[in-house]
Amino acid sequence: MDIKELYQEIILDHGKNPRNKNIFKDFNKDAKGHNPLCGDKVHIFLKLNNEMKLENISFEGEGCAISMASASIMTEIIKGKEFNVAKKIQEDFLNMIKEGSKLSLNSLSDSENTTMMSLSGVKRFPMRVKCATLAWHTFIEAVEGNKKIVNTEN
Amino acid sequence: MDTKVIKSKFPIFQNKINGKQLIYLDSANSSQKPKTVIDRISKFYSKEFSNIGRSVHSLAVIATNRFEETRDLVKKFINAKSREEVIFTKNATEAINLVASTYGEKFINKGDEILITELEHHANYVPWHFIRQRKGAIIKFAECNDKGEVDIDEIKKLITNKTKIIAITHLSNVTGAIMPVKKIVDLANEKKIPVLVDGCQGAPHLEIDMQKLGCDFYAISCHKMYGPTGVGILYAKKKWLDILPPYQGGGGMIEEVKKDNITFPGSPTKFEAGTLQTAEVVGFSESIKFIEGVGIKNIMQHEREILEYGLEEIRKNNSVRIIGDPKNRGSIISFTIKGIHPHDIATILDEDGVAIRAGHHCCQILHKKMGIAASARASLGIYNTKEDIDVLKNSIKKCNKIFNN
Ligand SMILES: Cc1ncc(COP(=O)(O)O)c(C=O)c1O
């Protein structure tokens, strides 16, 4: 396998031009994630309405191309979706990255599928898995958690 | 010096990494081990092993002798005045903690000052931070300039009547800056301030002669000197070891134990509590023999050549920023590439068999000072060649290509 399978065009594009990388005013949930080994940092902001729909989501942070692209891709895909659906997508994503399983959801559009799949190459780079999963764990923490800071080391 | 011969003494280079020849540029993190060191550990366990210093049977005598012979070798290698000045620890981190804890306990009080530099590895800051917390002491940081070196005047101006210790690195593990240890010691001597040197990067790459350096304490990690993990050395002047309290308590470090009182022997026994990393210490004797066999002057000259070639070649790439430009530089090149995070660099290089380190290298204060969160670091050892640099150089170009910058 080639290193280009890790650094696919979609990832490089999201890494260089991250989507939803800002802070919007009326967020009502947020959480920070930190990967002390690499120094990757993300801060997820979201607006969850009464029907548990993710009206808006954004992130701030710094880190490697993989961590930034993954955060960008996540916000793009789950924005506007019900939290329950987004949570399923998160689980599906983690399974793909950690276990190498195929994405199983049929609720995603073809292009969403392709975008998510672009990160599947990370599976072969165990040291980089945490970079790819940081934003996704932090997103769940923002909605369900109470400790507010996700640390990949504990 | 024939680097092919040198490389052939290190079994690790017979392996392929990702199907490629291993280009090991992470020796500042930990060096690879010659076969003689690996074999020595195996022989010790096969033929000579027993716990040391406790039993009277023959094996105990043999094992104790091998262990203590290594202490003698170290004494000679670093030119200590006596073997009592050589204490085995588990690494340099433990050696520095030993000094911070015992010297700090006895001599550092509220409002006293500990003088370190912005170049320090966390191992030479965090132990002092504990003393700061415990005693209400103050830590002062001598500033590092944009060349990544600390001018001696920066140290001079921070010395006060309250300065109780100066703790400095010998060779920065990020910028490669070599500190003028002797001059700092002379400065400190005027005020009778002891100097601790973090010799982690100094010991593998420079001539280390305790009489010439004149420092009070010198900390070494043997795993960076072609030796086994689990072994560190604290050199300390005997006058300190005689008056410092023990560090850890337990078996082996006592003189007499009664219900109402315990007395302790002299150094090094007082500071070596519990069963030690016996086989590793014995294995380290072969590292010293290896270094002496090649000759530290030859090592220095060879690494200088590779370093200069590396700096020259890497500077040709305009997207690369080399961290620091110290006048006096040891075998380390830390760098960033415009628009590419160091971890992405390390992953791409790894695919070509090139092992470097990426991150803050346990120097967050220095990275902040340089305005970056992390860097990529190529560090040299005796086995590196110009061809290694060429592979590195091409691998960096590959990063540029993938990231299209
Ligand atoms: C300058 C310096 N000091 C201290 C250390 C800590 O060494 P160890 O982890 O072996 O105790 C290192 C190694 O990373 C170092 O480079």
Side-chain angles (χ1 to χ4, degrees):
Chain A
M1 208 195 274
D2 191 77
I3 190 79
K4 298 228 173 70
E5 292 204 21
L6 179 63
Y7 293 105
Q8 296 188 20
E9 281 306 320
I10 301 181
I11 294 182
L12 294 173
D13 176 43
H14 275 268
K16 270 186 203 163
N17 313 299
R19 326 292 198 262
N20 305 307
K21 193 167 181 224
N22 54 54
I23 311 178
F24 62 93
K25 269 209 196 92
D26 56 342
F27 69 88
N28 53 14
K29 305 238 174 237
D30 74 304
K32 285 180 180 169
H34 185 205
N35 180 350
L37 274 187
C38 302
D40 297 334
K41 281 183 184 163
V42 291
H43 192 167
I44 305 278
F45 305 89
L46 49 93
K47 186 174 181 195
L48 194 64
N49 70 17
N50 292 337
E51 281 86 54
M52 291 297 276
K53 195 171 144 177
L54 295 159
E55 268 185 29
N56 201 355
I57 179 163
S58 72
F59 78 103
E60 286 268 272
E62 53 180 314
C64 64
I66 305 296
S67 69
M68 292 298 105
S70 186
S72 169
I73 287 170
M74 178 188 81
T75 58
E76 194 177 64
I77 287 180
I78 66 178
K79 193 179 199 164
K81 294 200 163 65
E82 305 272 339
F83 174 65
N84 279 342
V85 175
K87 196 173 171 183
K88 288 235 164 60
I89 295 173
Q90 190 251 14
E91 286 162 7
D92 212 22
F93 176 80
L94 295 185
N95 279 336
M96 174 182 83
I97 298 285
K98 292 180 178 166
E99 319 293 339
S101 26
K102 288 226 155 62
L103 291 173
S104 62
L105 288 180
N106 38 27
S107 63
L108 294 178
S109 72
D110 280 356
S111 87
E112 285 174 335
N113 242 311
T114 311
T115 307
M116 291 249 294
M117 284 291 292
S118 71
L119 282 159
S120 64
V122 175
K123 165 89 177 52
R124 202 174 63 86
F125 298 84
M127 299 299 284
R128 307 304 300 278
V129 165
K130 284 173 181 168
C131 310
T133 58
L134 180 64
W136 298 76
H137 286 302
T138 309
F139 152 61
I140 296 295
E141 188 64 24
V143 180
E144 295 183 341
N146 42 30
K147 70 176 186 298
K148 281 279 187 158
I149 293 199
V150 175
N151 187 318
T152 54
E153 293 310 297
N154 41 44
Chain B
M1 206 180 70
D2 188 343
T3 42
K4 275 223 180 70
V5 174
I6 299 269
K7 235 178 195 170
S8 74
K9 292 180 194 279
F10 291 77
I12 198 107
F13 293 111
Q14 289 158 20
N15 304 301
K16 291 260 184 304
I17 301 292
N18 296 319
K20 307 273 170 50
Q21 181 67 49
L22 168 64
I23 308 293
Y24 192 73
L25 292 168
D26 199 18
S27 294
N29 197 351
S30 195
S31 62
Q32 294 298 344
K33 323 300 173 199
K35 186 162 188 304
T36 46
V37 172
I38 302 168
D39 289 350
R40 187 67 190 88
I41 293 175
S42 169
K43 179 180 161 202
F44 182 73
Y45 276 128
S46 309
K47 304 207 158 135
E48 302 164 316
F49 179 75
S50 148
N51 207 339
I52 56 166
R54 295 182 180 183
S55 307
V56 294
H57 56 74
S58 305
L59 271 182
V61 174
I62 295 172
T64 305
N65 286 346
R66 295 297 98 85
F67 186 89
E68 293 302 333
E69 281 158 20
T70 309
R71 199 188 307 275
D72 292 328
L73 272 180
V74 173
K75 180 220 160 230
K76 228 174 104 229
F77 184 74
I78 65 174
N79 196 18
K81 273 203 177 125
S82 70
R83 62 193 318 281
E84 287 75 27
E85 294 182 327
V86 175
I87 295 162
F88 287 113
T89 61
K90 75 171 191 273
N91 47 35
T93 299
E94 191 179 47
I96 298 171
N97 272 280
L98 189 159
V99 178
S101 175
T102 60
Y103 179 87
E105 187 55 41
K106 194 157 172 148
F107 294 108
I108 299 178
N109 294 305
K110 193 167 168 42
D112 284 344
E113 294 167 6
I114 298 158
L115 177 42
I116 67 174
T117 81
E118 289 179 337
L119 292 175
E120 299 318 311
H121 187 282
H122 296 163
N124 197 21
Y125 169 34
V126 184
W128 302 111
H129 167 71
F130 290 157
I131 291 299
R132 168 166 70 184
Q133 283 191 316
R134 219 157 77 206
K135 293 297 196 85
I138 294 158
I139 299 180
K140 288 190 169 173
F141 293 85
E143 265 197 59
C144 133
N145 60 25
D146 57 8
K147 286 187 161 16
E149 58 195 4
V150 176
D151 195 291
I152 188 156
D153 288 339
E154 295 297 326
I155 293 178
K156 197 171 184 174
K157 76 183 191 203
L158 293 182
I159 296 178
T160 73
N161 291 333
K162 295 237 156 216
T163 310
K164 284 293 153 72
I165 191 159
I166 300 175
I168 50 163
T169 185
H170 198 173
L171 195 166
S172 161
N173 61 313
V174 176
T175 68
I178 298 171
M179 294 287 284
V181 171
K182 178 72 178 88
K183 286 191 184 147
I184 294 167
V185 169
D186 288 344
L187 192 65
N189 274 347
E190 289 170 22
K191 303 244 178 181
K192 300 215 166 5
I193 304 166
V195 176
L196 174 142
V197 179
D198 172 357
C200 264
Q201 302 299 339
H205 305 290
L206 306 171
E207 210 175 343
I208 48 165
D209 179 324
M210 293 306 122
Q211 304 316 312
K212 282 190 194 155
L213 288 178
C215 56
D216 298 80
F217 305 99
Y218 196 94
I220 294 173
S221 266
C222 300
H223 68 91
K224 296 179 200 277
M225 295 176 72
Y226 313 108
T229 51
V231 192
I233 290 161
L234 172 65
Y235 158 81
K237 280 187 179 159
K238 186 153 183 308
K239 67 168 184 187
W240 292 115
L241 297 174
D242 286 344
I243 56 173
L244 290 178
Y247 175 47
Q248 294 174 331
M253 50 75 75
I254 48 85
E255 194 174 58
E256 193 173 18
V257 177
K258 297 184 188 158
K259 278 195 173 164
D260 57 355
N261 192 35
I262 301 171
T263 54
F264 305 103
S267 177
T269 317
K270 175 166 78 168
F271 298 102
E272 293 179 348
T275 297
L276 297 167
Q277 55 287 31
T278 323
E280 288 79 3
V281 167
V282 173
F284 183 60
S285 66
E286 289 297 328
S287 312
I288 295 180
K289 289 177 194 161
F290 171 76
I291 291 174
E292 286 182 331
V294 181
I296 189 71
K297 289 222 164 65
N298 293 331
I299 293 178
M300 286 167 70
Q301 193 197 332
H302 172 71
E303 289 181 357
R304 167 136 300 279
E305 263 173 47
I306 309 296
L307 176 72
E308 275 167 10
Y309 180 71
L311 288 168
E312 189 184 310
E313 289 301 310
I314 293 169
R315 279 201 184 107
K316 287 181 187 158
N317 185 325
N318 288 330
S319 70
V320 177
R321 169 187 166 198
I322 293 178
I323 308 306
D325 184 23
K327 273 194 291 293
N328 207 355
R329 179 180 211 141
S331 320
I332 286 168
I333 306 176
S334 296
F335 61 96
T336 55
I337 307 178
K338 201 162 162 270
I340 314 181
H341 191 278
H343 279 103
D344 295 313
I345 300 172
T347 295
I348 296 169
L349 265 54
D350 181 54
E351 203 69 5
D352 288 344
V354 180
I356 60 153
R357 183 163 172 195
H360 51 61
H361 321 306
C362 303
C363 291
Q364 288 193 338
I365 288 176
L366 180 58
H367 275 81
K368 186 144 196 231
K369 179 87 180 196
M370 294 288 170
I372 47 180
S375 61
R377 178 182 73 186
S379 56
L380 306 174
I382 182 64
Y383 27 63
N384 290 118
T385 60
K386 287 187 178 170
E387 289 74 44
D388 292 350
I389 298 293
D390 291 336
V391 178
L392 169 70
K393 183 178 78 179
N394 291 331
S395 238
I396 291 176
K397 277 201 197 118
K398 190 163 145 190
C399 296
N400 294 136
K401 206 164 149 220
I402 289 174
F403 277 76
N404 194 21
N405 70 345

